[in-house]
Amino acid sequence: MITGSMVALVTPMHEDGNVDWDGLTRIVDFHLREGTNSIVAVGTTGESATLDVTEHCQVISRVVKQVEGRIPVIAGTGANSTHEAFELTQEAKGLGVDACLLVTPYYNKPTQEGMYQHFKYIAERVEIPQILYNVPGRTSVDLLPETVERLALVDNIVGIKEATGDIERAKRLIANCSADFAVYSGDDPTAVELILAGGKGNISVTANVAPAKMSELCRLALAGKADEARRLNEELMPLHSNLFVESNPIPVKWALQEMGMIEGGIRLPLTPLSEPSQAIVRDVLKRNKLL
């Protein structure tokens, strides 16, 4: 089971929007050096919605080759087309990832039964650990606990990234699913509470800029050191909040650029961080001694 701090890695880009392969190498090295427990390549934060299929697979391949098995690599392979998600998951398996992360089918607004059949179809056809990803704020569809509980019985479905921030919902899943089904936070501000309630880790945006602290936060929470974990989370809370001052990954990519880690490229329809928001993010980076 993959546990701890899992960075939802950005995809570095040049100002012209092309993928910055040297920047990708730098940030992967950064996470290996700073103690990140796992890398999620080409998830939402990695701009999966605007990378073409070739780029998507190239990013996954580069990360896998660079990591060389030192930590697990999880590939974002979700799509609103079941066939496309199946093909991406199959390709990621061939590239050597440890698991795949599949977001709920966005835009189509399928029923609960439609989502169950979508995830079941892929799990039955690609033999690799698969993590569900529920983020209704971005997809306009909510994978309800009763549907997750059905899916947890399907071979190859090993966990869920629950990004609602609803701790009571997470507790229900932890209680009703088997012990080998992992519930992960997808919401940095509430991750500590989810882990203390029995969650297995956090798939994190904040970890892009503060990997060592996020790794320590998850380590403390997994060890049941609640007071220490909560103190560190309070210290990080302004960073958690202000990295969402505009749509993710706009602020976190700008923060990494300000830190000298990557160039400033981002793809339309996303646009660079506005000047008023730059001041907010710069201030919180300085307060956390990241600048």
Side-chain angles (χ1 to χ4, degrees):
M1 183 180 289
I2 300 170
T3 63
S5 178
M6 295 161 270
V7 62
L9 196 71
V10 303
T11 300
M13 295 174 184
H14 297 296
E15 297 289 349
D16 63 6
N18 288 319
V19 177
D20 175 9
W21 301 110
D22 290 339
L24 182 63
T25 298
R26 281 194 302 276
I27 60 173
V28 170
D29 279 342
F30 178 50
H31 287 285
L32 291 171
R33 187 171 64 247
E34 294 291 307
T36 291
N37 302 115
S38 178
I39 291 176
V40 179
V42 203
T44 304
T45 307
E47 292 175 82
S48 57
T50 56
L51 294 182
D52 65 35
V53 172
T54 299
E55 292 170 324
H56 194 121
C57 295
Q58 285 175 335
V59 172
I60 294 167
S61 178
R62 295 276 189 124
V63 173
V64 169
K65 288 176 181 176
Q66 186 176 347
V67 168
E68 292 184 315
R70 285 172 283 182
I71 59 175
V73 175
I74 302 167
T77 60
N80 62 347
S81 159
T82 303
H83 188 69
E84 181 181 347
F86 159 69
E87 288 188 330
L88 285 171
T89 304
Q90 190 173 51
E91 182 68 19
K93 178 189 174 183
L95 293 172
V97 302
D98 297 278
C100 291
L101 178 70
L102 291 97
V103 71
T104 50
Y106 46 88
Y107 188 77
N108 297 327
K109 298 184 78 172
T111 63
Q112 295 298 307
E113 183 62 24
M115 286 188 284
Y116 174 78
Q117 295 295 340
H118 168 86
F119 289 116
K120 181 172 177 284
Y121 179 95
I122 299 161
E124 289 179 341
R125 287 161 177 79
V126 188
E127 194 172 344
I128 191 169
Q130 295 170 35
I131 301 167
L132 312 171
Y133 177 15
N134 187 42
V135 57
R138 294 192 78 117
T139 63
S140 295
V141 66
D142 189 1
L143 189 64
L144 297 178
E146 51 265 34
T147 308
V148 177
E149 290 160 22
R150 290 176 68 198
L151 286 165
L153 301 174
V154 177
D155 286 348
N156 299 322
I157 295 179
V158 300
I160 183 169
K161 175 185 176 182
E162 180 56 65
T164 60
D166 185 338
I167 301 302
E168 293 307 311
R169 174 186 286 214
K171 287 179 178 178
R172 170 179 168 171
L173 293 175
I174 292 164
N176 292 351
C177 297
S178 67
D180 58 359
F181 182 83
V183 179
Y184 302 109
S185 174
D187 179 64
D188 281 311
T190 59
V192 161
E193 297 307 319
L194 188 150
I195 297 170
L196 289 171
K200 299 303 181 184
N202 179 34
I203 299 177
S204 170
V205 174
T206 302
N208 277 282
V209 297
K213 286 186 176 181
M214 288 305 296
S215 181
E216 177 66 3
L217 182 148
C218 289
R219 186 191 69 79
L220 291 168
L222 285 165
K225 297 181 178 180
D227 290 343
E228 293 175 63
R230 285 170 176 147
R231 278 196 296 271
L232 182 53
N233 196 49
E234 280 302 309
E235 178 185 324
L236 288 166
M237 194 63 77
L239 196 59
H240 297 330
S241 301
N242 289 321
L243 287 179
F244 284 83
V245 68
E246 292 181 16
S247 295
N248 181 50
I250 292 172
V252 72
K253 290 194 86 173
W254 184 87
L256 285 166
Q257 179 190 5
E258 193 76 354
M259 292 166 64
M261 299 294 298
I262 64 172
E263 295 185 22
I266 196 164
R267 284 193 181 170
L268 289 170
L270 299 179
T271 52
L273 191 67
S274 66
E275 286 192 19
S277 295
Q278 287 178 19
I280 294 169
V281 175
R282 185 181 293 111
D283 177 67
V284 76
L285 290 174
K286 287 179 177 177
R287 281 190 279 152
N288 279 272
K289 299 180 181 177
L290 297 171
L291 288 180

